[in-house]
Amino acid sequence: MQHYFLGIDNGGTVAKAALFDETGAEIAIASETVPFSAPKPGFAERDMLELWQANCRIIREVLQKSRIPSKLIAGVACTGHGKGLYLWGKNERPAYPGIVSTDTRAWEYPLRWEKDGTAQTVYAKTFQKILACQPVSLVAWLKDHASEVIERTKWVFEAKDYVRFMLTGEAYAEITDYSGSGLLNIRDRSFDSALLEAYGLGDLYDKLPPLVHSTDLCGKISASAAQATGLVEGTPVAGGMFDIDACAVASGVIDEQYFCVVAGTWSINEYLSRRPVTDGNIMMNSLFCMPEYYLIEESSPTSAGNYEWFINFFLDKEKNEAAEAGLSIFEFAERMARHIAPEDCDLVFLPFLFGSNYNPEARACFAGFSARHTRAHMIRAVLEGIVFSHKTHIDKLLATRTPPLAVRLTGGAARSREWVQMFADVIGLPVETVLASEPGALGCAMSAAVASGTYRDLREAAAHMVKLGSRFEPDSAKAGMYLKKYKLYKDIADSLDHSWKGFSPQTPSTELPS
């Protein structure tokens, strides 16, 4: 009998559910935007119960679209955005609105901990730089500004762990997500009261759920969740995983031979290693969903979300022309960019709309405008700027190890052959695409396939469920030209460093792409 697996992916603004069969074929998908609010500068919050209701609706929609009987779904698993914070109260309701990973309210805490030595103390256990959007910073902010929220909190969740809790009624902390929280002792793979005390958060220890792994069985669909979603009561639910792990697994990155690059709202650049990188030059080490590996990560919110924003704000006329030509606006825009040779585009775009990998106060901008520049030049500059930002991260990763056999690319950029070729040319490495429209959902569905007993482990699941697309070799004739443009990009970003303090703090946009 054919078995099916449901993957549920809750990103920063969009909730998605996708059903896969044992070969990784996508049977049906549903999605819904879950907007967030910015009640104050730097805040990015969402209603946790609205998020749960949205998940119920998309699960029902997937079941309806697929026409697969719910009883044939052998397992369910969740993934979602990392960082952020979802607090469940002692009264069995949310203790506070959910906080998504673009929230910057706690920006002072990493600076404070760096200055007073806390960051250096905890690094020996966490192996990562502290970020304002991590749970550790957000909890510290709440303790100082709304202590009653912490007092009434029963469980500290990440996004996907909250959704799994609503599906099963059982509270767990899946280790890949919590290893990116700042709250977990990565060295010892455990929660650590001494680590929490170092932040001044010792009273948080009892609010952290029991730790589990990605492929562990973490409960079953409850009666109430079955009624709300249409799933069968008793269906196994796996631990699931952090979305960057899910994308890696769905890309077949299950050993140290490849890099995984995700070009979405966030620029995610990562590889697997049996040892953490602890020289302080890498942003984050976390625990991978295959316990023998660490996930070595460089990331920032500087990727394809900038391109979606540009198209939405500047290409209204082109949207109409694209519709008349029977093309998507992205296809139409990339045709425009194709008419501008890379050596003829001297316009530079810094993709810092939602944050930066240079300076937390930096903003997006175009540099080098002249009267000859057109929208086509601007499109090419946006595409190039996003790739240059990825290269900034990838160069840091390459400084820690030998080059990979190839880069496996997912996200919006992977849908454009021209853009994928640009990645290969700029990075100087072969780039392979992945045949998965929703790699996050596929990756966590693979953990459900293991937890349900269909596959022995994630390696076996990957052998059956991962499908690769095209391979793009770097064009050596363009290497010198792109290197010169990349240097100009970095020079402009560096030269503006002193200027950003003149701008007011960024407020997260409620129109942020997913």
Side-chain angles (χ1 to χ4, degrees), residues 80 178 284:
Y178 284 76
M284 184 166 291

Side-chain angles (χ1 to χ4, degrees), residues 77-82 156-162 164 170-181 184 189 191 208-218 237-246 286-291 444 447 458:
C78 301
T79 187
H81 72 79
V156 175
F157 285 131
E158 295 274 42
K160 66 106 171 53
D161 299 272
Y162 160 66
R164 188 185 59 246
E170 299 186 32
Y172 291 107
E174 189 277 319
I175 201 165
T176 65
D177 239 331
Y178 284 76
S179 70
S181 68
L184 183 75
R189 299 173 180 254
F191 290 126
L208 298 170
L211 279 169
V212 293
H213 292 90
S214 300
T215 57
D216 287 349
L217 181 62
C218 295
V237 180
M241 60 189 77
F242 189 1
D243 61 2
I244 63 174
D245 292 63
S286 60
L287 299 174
F288 192 53
C289 53
M290 299 168 66
C444 68
S447 72
L458 287 170

Side-chain angles (χ1 to χ4, degrees), residues 17 37 56 81-82 89 122 162 176 182 221 264 349 412 483 509:
S37 61
C56 293
H81 72 79
V122 301
Y162 160 66
T176 65
I221 297 297
F349 177 69
L483 191 60
S509 168

Side-chain angles (χ1 to χ4, degrees), residues 169-352:
E170 299 186 32
Y172 291 107
E174 189 277 319
I175 201 165
T176 65
D177 239 331
Y178 284 76
S179 70
S181 68
L183 299 171
L184 183 75
N185 181 332
I186 293 178
R187 184 192 65 196
D188 299 339
R189 299 173 180 254
S190 64
F191 290 126
D192 180 337
S193 58
L195 173 63
L196 298 177
E197 290 288 356
Y199 298 114
L201 300 174
D203 55 348
L204 204 67
Y205 186 83
D206 292 335
K207 303 177 189 297
L208 298 170
L211 279 169
V212 293
H213 292 90
S214 300
T215 57
D216 287 349
L217 181 62
C218 295
K220 298 180 179 181
I221 297 297
S222 67
S224 60
Q227 185 176 11
T229 63
L231 294 168
V232 172
E233 182 182 354
T235 302
V237 180
M241 60 189 77
F242 189 1
D243 61 2
I244 63 174
D245 292 63
C247 288
V249 169
S251 302
V253 178
I254 52 173
D255 57 33
E256 298 169 75
Q257 298 185 83
Y258 298 93
F259 279 11
C260 175
V261 171
V262 184
T265 298
W266 277 72
S267 164
I268 305 295
N269 313 270
E270 59 194 13
Y271 69 85
L272 309 188
S273 174
R274 293 186 182 273
R275 292 175 296 279
V277 178
T278 57
D279 60 7
N281 293 321
I282 292 296
M283 178 176 292
M284 184 166 291
N285 298 270
S286 60
L287 299 174
F288 192 53
C289 53
M290 299 168 66
E292 65 268 34
Y293 288 120
Y294 291 88
L295 189 61
I296 315 302
E297 176 196 353
E298 272 286 319
S299 61
S300 60
T302 59
S303 194
N306 285 262
Y307 183 40
E308 189 170 336
W309 172 88
F310 175 81
I311 283 177
N312 286 338
F313 275 82
F314 292 103
L315 297 187
D316 280 346
K317 181 174 75 73
E318 287 76 9
K319 286 179 182 177
N320 294 329
E321 294 175 4
E324 291 174 3
L327 300 171
S328 75
I329 182 56
F330 296 99
E331 292 172 312
F332 192 84
E334 283 140 28
R335 281 191 181 186
M336 294 173 64
R338 200 181 307 154
H339 292 299
I340 307 297
E343 59 270 20
D344 292 336
C345 184
D346 55 355
L347 192 61
V348 175
F349 177 69
L350 302 184
F352 303 156

Side-chain angles (χ1 to χ4, degrees), residues 6 13 17 71 97 142 167 208 211 229 245 252 312 335 395 446:
L6 181 66
T13 55
K71 64 182 180 181
L142 285 169
L167 288 168
L208 298 170
L211 279 169
T229 63
D245 292 63
N312 286 338
R335 281 191 181 186
D395 283 352
M446 291 164 66

Side-chain angles (χ1 to χ4, degrees), residues 36-54:
F36 64 86
S37 61
K40 296 180 181 179
F43 284 44
E45 300 178 350
R46 63 175 17 154
D47 185 299
M48 288 173 59
L49 295 181
E50 284 185 7
L51 175 65
W52 167 239
Q53 291 301 321

